[in-house]
Amino acid sequence: MIASLDLAHAASGKYTIEAIQRIGLQANGLMQAARAQVDIAEADVVSAAALPNPEVTVMAGPDSPRLPEIDTGPASMQRQVTVSQPLENPFVRSARIGSAQAGVEASRANLEQVRADLAAQLRVRTYEFLLRRGLAEMESDIFNLMQEIQRRIKLSVDVGEVARFELIRADTEVMTAASRKEAAMLDTERARIALLQLTAGALEQGFDIEASLTDPVELPSLDALRADLPGSNPEILRLEAERDRASLRIEQERAAVLPSVDILYSNYQDKQFTSNTVGLSLRIPLFYRRSGEINAAISDAARVRETLDYRRFEVVRLLESAWQTMEIARRRVEMFEGGIVREAESALRVAETAFRLGERGFIEVLDTQRVLRNARSELLQARFELQAAAAEIDRLRAHYPKD
């Protein structure tokens, strides 16, 4: 059902944020590489569980007398077949398989981390596109306003009501507004290209977004997020798998100190005798007991444990920082929406009316227009920061549209 909705949006050229995330998670090359790492780790489990192959040695050659005066009859052939089958240490084997399985879990957690990072990046880039488009629309409105004021001033100059200096100033403001409008439109296209890049060109060139910077941000409480974070953050899960793998590597290296055994079977035949022998071959670690490998495994396990402890602490702090950023942005949005923008719009309307009636000059209109422009820019930026902070929280807890 969800896939059909995404296809319907794609056919219309309009995409929701979830649809863009799904498309990006399917098309992005980094995702394909992370999936390949999981396949490699699963193949390593098969290799780790494989039994050692037997070794067969065959030797054959002519059998002839060494002394000519000894007549032993016609020359014959002798041959010897030896079969060697290693008996694997069960402790080494179980540790090796467990380490490979932990590697699979680490690769899957890494894939989840890549997914969460990419989904958050797609979400932020989408809202950045909406931000740039909103700024471009604002600059276009200002440009239209400056053109209207320029037209009125030109009429006043033609009839001799105002000095030509006012028209020169109006022309300058129109050119400045046109420059800002063009720059804002180019920034919008740059944000569009960034989205196309993240989705590997899977979006249509002239795509549109079914979303807004005013979309509601609904998240669990900070305490609930803090409690669920250790079990959902992909980096913590990956480091936990790495810790398990490092511990199993220590067991593997310690178990490798035990003697290894090979079962031998040999069959010998010549023209007189046939013999079958069975024996054992032992490799005893007498002079070197793998102290270097064991110490390296212990140090690596300590490194992973310390990294895990630090990242657990750091991820919680990142969550709290993103939460505070979100709350600050929310207060800024409420402040600008609650009165600053409306008051600036009212002031501009009053200044425009007074300008048309000849009660105020061009400078008053410019001043109120700049105040409104700054207020609207700050409001758009605060809305974007609110959405970006929510995306960062979702990234930390790996919350994104699943397949």
Side-chain angles (χ1 to χ4, degrees):
M1 181 64 181
I2 295 176
S4 62
L5 290 176
D6 292 344
L7 291 175
H9 287 303
S12 64
K14 294 184 177 181
Y15 300 89
T16 63
I17 292 181
E18 287 191 1
I20 291 177
Q21 288 177 316
R22 293 180 188 277
I23 292 172
L25 291 174
Q26 289 294 328
N28 190 276
L30 293 178
M31 287 298 307
Q32 307 301 329
R35 291 190 184 99
Q37 288 295 328
V38 176
D39 296 336
I40 293 172
E42 290 175 347
D44 289 339
V45 175
V46 177
S47 301
L51 294 173
N53 292 317
E55 181 179 349
V56 180
T57 304
V58 178
M59 295 184 295
D63 186 6
S64 58
R66 185 168 57 88
L67 300 176
E69 61 273 11
I70 300 177
D71 186 9
T72 59
S76 63
M77 293 291 293
Q78 65 174 0
R79 66 176 179 81
Q80 181 175 357
V81 179
T82 303
V83 179
S84 175
Q85 174 62 55
L87 292 182
E88 193 172 19
N89 186 328
F91 302 105
V92 173
R93 176 180 174 81
S94 62
R96 185 178 67 244
I97 295 175
S99 178
Q101 291 172 342
V104 173
E105 296 302 320
S107 298
R108 288 174 179 168
N110 182 68
L111 173 60
E112 187 73 7
Q113 182 176 355
V114 174
R115 283 174 174 166
D117 292 346
L118 180 59
Q121 194 174 3
L122 285 165
R123 181 175 171 183
V124 171
R125 292 297 184 185
T126 303
Y127 280 116
E128 182 182 358
F129 170 75
L130 296 175
L131 169 66
R132 300 303 176 189
R133 189 170 66 180
L135 291 174
E137 292 172 354
M138 180 191 70
E139 296 295 348
S140 179
D141 294 341
I142 293 174
F143 174 70
N144 294 334
L145 174 63
M146 290 298 102
Q147 279 189 321
E148 176 64 20
I149 293 176
Q150 180 195 38
R151 186 184 65 80
R152 292 180 178 276
I153 292 177
K154 187 175 184 303
L155 292 176
S156 299
V157 170
D158 291 340
V159 299
E161 293 181 358
V162 296
R164 189 168 185 80
F165 173 74
E166 294 292 331
L167 180 59
I168 296 174
R169 178 179 292 174
D171 292 341
T172 303
E173 291 296 331
V174 168
M175 288 188 290
T176 302
S179 176
R180 289 199 302 262
K181 175 185 174 182
E182 183 179 0
M185 294 177 66
L186 291 175
D187 285 340
T188 303
E189 290 305 310
R190 180 178 58 82
R192 182 188 297 273
I193 292 172
L195 269 176
L196 289 171
Q197 179 182 357
L198 285 175
T199 56
L203 300 177
E204 297 181 5
Q205 288 292 331
F207 68 86
D208 197 7
I209 305 296
E210 282 193 3
S212 171
L213 288 172
T214 59
D215 290 342
V217 175
E218 298 177 357
L219 291 171
S221 65
L222 179 58
D223 292 336
L225 290 171
R226 192 185 290 114
D228 295 339
L229 193 62
S232 60
N233 183 263
E235 186 175 5
I236 292 178
L237 297 177
R238 178 183 62 82
L239 288 171
E240 288 177 347
E242 293 284 351
R243 177 200 58 193
D244 296 339
R245 182 164 63 174
S247 299
L248 289 168
R249 185 190 167 197
I250 296 175
E251 296 180 8
Q252 179 180 347
E253 295 297 339
R254 286 175 173 169
V257 176
L258 299 175
S260 58
V261 181
D262 292 351
I263 296 179
L264 302 176
Y265 167 76
S266 180
N267 174 264
Y268 174 81
Q269 291 183 1
D270 59 18
K271 68 179 182 179
Q272 289 184 322
F273 301 100
T274 297
S275 66
N276 296 289
T277 57
V278 178
L280 296 177
S281 173
L282 294 179
R283 287 186 296 274
I284 303 174
L286 183 60
F287 300 106
Y288 180 65
R289 299 182 60 82
R290 303 185 65 82
S291 58
E293 288 82 353
I294 293 173
N295 292 334
I298 293 174
S299 299
D300 185 59
R303 176 189 63 81
V304 174
R305 284 196 304 271
E306 293 296 332
T307 304
L308 174 59
D309 292 340
Y310 175 74
R311 287 303 295 168
R312 280 174 174 165
F313 171 81
E314 187 179 34
V315 165
V316 174
R317 301 290 85 77
L318 289 174
L319 172 65
E320 294 173 349
S321 176
W323 184 273
Q324 294 301 324
T325 301
M326 184 183 68
E327 290 300 313
I328 292 172
R330 196 192 302 275
R331 293 191 187 98
R332 290 182 61 203
V333 169
E334 293 172 354
M335 179 178 64
F336 281 102
E337 289 180 343
I340 294 178
V341 174
R342 286 202 298 268
E343 291 177 1
E345 290 174 344
S346 299
L348 180 59
R349 286 194 296 269
V350 171
E352 288 181 28
T353 303
F355 174 74
R356 286 195 297 268
L357 297 176
E359 298 177 359
R360 291 289 186 273
F362 179 47
I363 297 299
E364 284 79 1
V365 177
L366 284 181
D367 289 340
T368 54
Q369 178 268 321
R370 289 192 180 98
V371 171
L372 176 59
R373 177 178 178 272
N374 292 336
R376 290 179 63 185
S377 298
E378 290 290 336
L379 174 59
L380 289 172
Q381 187 65 37
R383 287 172 175 169
F384 169 73
E385 291 175 359
L386 174 62
Q387 299 293 344
E392 173 65 10
I393 293 175
D394 283 344
R395 184 191 72 84
L396 291 172
R397 66 189 185 119
H399 182 77
Y400 60 91
K402 304 294 193 298
D403 294 336

